[in-house]
Amino acid sequence: MKKTIPLELIAPCGMNCAICSKYLAYVNELDRNYCRGCRPGNKKCSYLFAKCSGINSALEGNASASFCFECDQYPCRQIDRMDKRYKENYEMSVKENLEFIHKLGTEKFFEEQYKKYHCSQCGGLISIHNRKCFKCHTVTKLVEKRNKKY
Ligand SMILES: [Zn+2]
């Protein structure tokens, strides 16, 4: 079974919006704070792009803005800070995501994301923030660490 994630759900910083709690709340129609995704919502990320003076400073109104690795300022202080925050809190590195996408492309990235963040019960995507499936409410532990050989 081939599962795919809409390309627009990969934010310029390498974050996969499809595994964000706020996006999962949106697709599962939960009555709480939700988000359609950084690109679809033209969201100007408060701790990254609000301070961006590189290629993504114009993200607003430009849903097809490029990935941060294409910027001549990459890696900038803002992305370093975000990378650190996600590594510390959620065991994910946006810089590694970007490197993966850069080298192997988005198809492979989606494949990897499904392998890593799927619900052990129903197979849907789980939240990176609390490892919870918003469909069946199962909490799944992360099984595999990313293979560093790319
Ligand atoms: Zn589930």
Side-chain angles (χ1 to χ4, degrees), residues 7-23 38-39 45 47-49 67 79 82 86 90 92-95 97-98 101 109-110 113 117 127-129:
L7 189 57
E8 61 176 10
L9 288 182
I10 307 300
C13 65
M15 170 69 191
N16 175 8
C17 292
I19 57 169
C20 172
S21 286
K22 285 190 176 182
Y23 178 77
C38 291
R39 285 190 207 265
C45 175
Y47 53 92
L48 188 55
F49 302 122
F67 291 113
I79 198 134
M82 182 177 172
Y86 264 82
Y90 309 113
M92 181 198 77
S93 160
V94 286
K95 282 162 76 179
N97 281 1
L98 284 173
I101 293 164
F109 179 67
F110 294 148
Q113 293 288 290
Y117 301 107
S127 161
I128 187 169
H129 297 117

Side-chain angles (χ1 to χ4, degrees), residues 47-111:
Y47 53 92
L48 188 55
F49 302 122
K51 290 178 186 130
C52 175
S53 55
I55 56 169
N56 282 308
S57 57
L59 181 65
E60 209 168 9
N62 178 12
S64 60
S66 322
F67 291 113
C68 284
F69 62 72
E70 294 168 51
C71 183
D72 58 5
Q73 295 178 28
Y74 181 82
C76 63
R77 224 176 57 213
Q78 282 81 266
I79 198 134
D80 280 344
R81 203 182 306 149
M82 182 177 172
D83 193 61
K84 190 165 175 262
R85 181 176 165 235
Y86 264 82
K87 269 200 282 209
E88 282 171 3
N89 298 314
Y90 309 113
E91 293 171 60
M92 181 198 77
S93 160
V94 286
K95 282 162 76 179
E96 272 179 30
N97 281 1
L98 284 173
E99 199 188 332
F100 190 104
I101 293 164
H102 194 26
K103 290 196 175 144
L104 299 173
T106 46
E107 286 275 311
K108 285 258 178 269
F109 179 67
F110 294 148
E111 242 174 66

Side-chain angles (χ1 to χ4, degrees), residues 116-131:
K116 196 167 175 186
Y117 301 107
H118 68 269
C119 169
S120 56
Q121 204 62 33
C122 76
L125 287 170
I126 56 168
S127 161
I128 187 169
H129 297 117
N130 59 12
R131 317 294 192 209

Side-chain angles (χ1 to χ4, degrees), residues 119-126 132-138 140:
C119 169
S120 56
Q121 204 62 33
C122 76
L125 287 170
I126 56 168
K132 198 170 169 180
C133 174
F134 284 36
K135 266 198 189 89
C136 71
H137 311 291
T138 306
T140 304

